[in-house]
């Protein structure tokens, strides 16, 4: 089984793609992208549109990788 794990943080997004077979796990990809999602939030604690746009662009890239690698579960 091939699994992708995505960790969405306030500064970066990470994705690991792992093959699991017979209780063994092999990391195939370990990707980290800086998105600065919390940049400029200020005291209002509002996510800014440019930060959302950066984050969505990375998630779209991750989706392409997931599709290209035939991931079974995210």
């Amino acid at each position: 089984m091939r699994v992708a794990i995505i960790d969405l943080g306030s500064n970066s997004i990470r994705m690991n793609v792992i093959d699991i077979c017979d209780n063994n796990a092999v990391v195939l990809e370990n990707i980290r992208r800086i998105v600065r999602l919390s940049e400029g939030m200020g005291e209002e604690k509002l996510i800014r549109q440019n930060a959302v746009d950066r984050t969505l662009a990375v998630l779209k890239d991750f989706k392409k990788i997931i599709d290209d690698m035939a991931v079974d579960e995210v």
Side-chain angles (χ1 to χ4, degrees), residues 12-63:
S12 65
I13 302 176
R14 297 172 186 265
M15 180 174 72
N16 289 329
V17 178
I18 301 167
D19 266 345
I20 301 171
C21 183
D22 298 325
N23 291 326
N24 293 314
V26 176
V27 177
L28 303 175
E29 291 286 340
N30 182 3
I31 305 166
R32 178 177 176 246
R33 300 282 189 270
I34 303 296
V35 294
R36 300 182 317 274
L37 184 58
S38 63
E39 179 181 56
M41 285 180 80
E43 291 187 21
E44 313 86 42
K45 302 293 186 212
L46 296 174
I47 298 173
R48 304 293 179 207
Q49 187 61 50
N50 59 346
V52 171
D53 294 342
R54 286 191 302 264
T55 302
L56 288 174
V58 169
L59 289 172
K60 287 177 184 178
D61 289 343
F62 283 3
K63 172 68 167 114

